[in-house]
Amino acid sequence: MQQTETYKLNLIESSDPFLPDALNENTRKIEEVVSGSLGDMDERIKVFEAKRFAYGSYSIREETLTIPLGFTPKAVIIHYSTNFAVYTALAIVDELGNMGHQLKIVEGGFQVSVLLGSTYYPGIYNYIAFG
């Protein structure tokens, strides 16, 4: 009886007696390889599922607005544009956004504020958040 190169599976020849032992040994070898591969795949899926992503839009109608995401992001980018203004901001966890205290990450989402005396652009803001 010969064997395959990679997994050493039994190759039953026409002159071999037909016994289930060779087939059972092949099945055990295949199961070892597959269960090892599936275990690795399970770990990769767990890592992938741990990553979060959200996008959407909001409108500022009040002084402070909290956008709930269902997870605490590691980074948030907001963007606003009209014919007269373009505005983009980034906040990274444990750091203030590039617009000071106006954009910050909070537990379960992010918060935007309109500071008194600052320029305020009413309208729709788009965001993307990564967790």
Side-chain angles (χ1 to χ4, degrees), residues 42-111:
D42 286 343
E43 289 303 311
R44 284 183 265 166
I45 289 171
K46 286 177 190 174
V47 168
F48 181 72
E49 287 178 344
K51 305 299 180 201
R52 302 280 183 118
F53 168 83
Y55 67 94
S57 60
Y58 64 89
S59 178
I60 296 181
R61 295 191 180 108
E62 50 197 76
E63 192 171 311
T64 300
L65 178 65
T66 300
I67 311 297
L69 298 173
F71 65 95
T72 301
K74 297 197 184 308
V76 176
I77 300 169
I78 63 171
H79 180 77
Y80 167 85
S81 71
T82 66
N83 292 338
F84 307 106
V86 175
Y87 180 73
T88 302
L90 166 70
I92 299 172
V93 71
D94 298 329
E95 295 182 21
L96 294 176
N98 61 350
M99 52 189 267
H101 294 284
Q102 290 179 297
L103 173 61
K104 68 179 179 178
I105 293 173
V106 296
E107 185 70 33
F110 67 96
Q111 194 172 69

